[in-house]
Amino acid sequence: MTLADYVEILQAEHRMERVYSFEFEGKSYWLKQPEHPHGIQRLLKPFSRAAFRREIQRIKWLILHKAPIPPVKIINSHYLVMEDAGHNVRFWLESDITAAQKQRILDDCAKALADLHEHGIVHGRPLLKDILWQDGKVSFIDFEAVSHSHKLIWQKMRDALLFIYGVCREKTTPAQIQRTIDTFVCYEDSRVWHYALALVKKYRFLYYLLLPFKPLAKTDLLAFYVLFETLLTKFL
């Protein structure tokens, strides 16, 4: 039985599951297919098949441009099969590996994002839950944006700030955050970083406006504070 034959069987058995993990001949894979919303979700997500078709086209574009995504084994209008590319970075940061190993992973991610940008590709939402790491190799999943040449610098700048925000949001120390930023700046186009800092400076009033609410802040807002405090103190 081939992988394609086995996937046909799984697809029929798990037709209602958006994402399904399975193993075949000692390797792990992910089966991804159109979402089948139920009840009120049908009103909230009425175009799930069209969204899946767009995702397939995006992945085909990423394959064509040799983007660092998990190996794609089967891709068609009905489903997608990708080889497992490891745990996401959030998992690694919450694991019991050493601080040095965690920093290595963060550095690898910073370099990988800068390299992605160097090849004219943007992610759209490079949070650590959408970045996989395995044995030194970084893979990106769930791309949210299509690269547009006329606004590529702006898209890269948004990627940069969201990536750093994601690092601030997880269980990271100030030293890890600073080191990761330094690594990213070292490899990223200087224009992207210049625009990122300019945007932070432009909207720093929001930091001071929200500062009184810091004692009540939860994870997302706390990450916002850390992002601004780190960049305002170090770079502005």
Side-chain angles (χ1 to χ4, degrees), residues 8 32 52-53 56 60 74-81:
E8 286 289 338
K32 198 170 186 179
F52 186 74
R53 287 195 295 270
I56 291 297
K60 287 181 177 179
I74 303 174
I75 184 169
N76 56 48
S77 59
H78 303 294
Y79 56 82
L80 165 73
V81 176

Side-chain angles (χ1 to χ4, degrees), residues 100-197:
Q101 289 173 314
K102 292 178 181 180
Q103 187 60 63
R104 177 194 170 192
I105 293 172
L106 289 170
D107 286 344
D108 286 345
C109 293
K111 295 174 187 177
L113 182 59
D115 186 65
L116 189 76
H117 289 171
E118 186 176 352
H119 288 82
I121 306 172
V122 294
H123 185 281
R125 189 194 59 183
L127 301 178
L128 301 190
K129 68 182 182 65
D130 295 322
I131 305 177
L132 311 179
W133 185 92
Q134 182 171 259
D135 299 327
K137 184 177 182 180
V138 174
S139 301
F140 294 91
I141 59 173
D142 294 338
F143 282 70
E144 293 286 332
V146 177
S147 304
H148 295 289
S149 58
H150 65 282
K151 58 177 182 178
L152 199 54
I153 290 292
W154 185 88
Q155 289 181 306
K156 291 177 181 179
M157 177 269 294
R158 181 182 61 185
D159 266 6
L161 290 176
L162 283 174
F163 171 68
I164 297 169
Y165 168 81
V167 175
C168 295
R169 190 181 183 280
E170 303 301 333
K171 296 180 179 179
T172 47
T173 66
Q176 288 174 326
I177 294 169
Q178 188 59 63
R179 165 68 181 271
T180 305
I181 293 174
D182 291 342
T183 300
F184 179 73
V185 172
C186 181
Y187 289 89
E188 181 59 88
D189 183 339
S190 60
R191 295 175 300 166
V192 173
W193 190 239
H194 171 78
Y195 285 121
L197 291 180

Side-chain angles (χ1 to χ4, degrees), residues 7 10-11 14-22 29-36 48-49 51-56 58-59 62 70 72-83 123 125 129-130 140-144:
V7 170
L10 290 178
Q11 201 262 341
H14 302 275
R15 189 176 299 275
M16 303 305 291
E17 296 184 50
R18 164 71 167 151
V19 179
Y20 181 75
S21 174
F22 68 96
Y29 299 88
W30 292 91
L31 168 65
K32 198 170 186 179
Q33 48 194 346
E35 191 169 4
H36 294 275
S48 58
R49 290 190 177 277
F52 186 74
R53 287 195 295 270
R54 288 194 297 271
E55 182 177 0
I56 291 297
R58 185 182 301 123
I59 290 175
L62 292 168
V72 177
K73 298 303 180 180
I74 303 174
I75 184 169
N76 56 48
S77 59
H78 303 294
Y79 56 82
L80 165 73
V81 176
M82 306 179 89
E83 192 172 321
H123 185 281
R125 189 194 59 183
K129 68 182 182 65
D130 295 322
F140 294 91
I141 59 173
D142 294 338
F143 282 70
E144 293 286 332

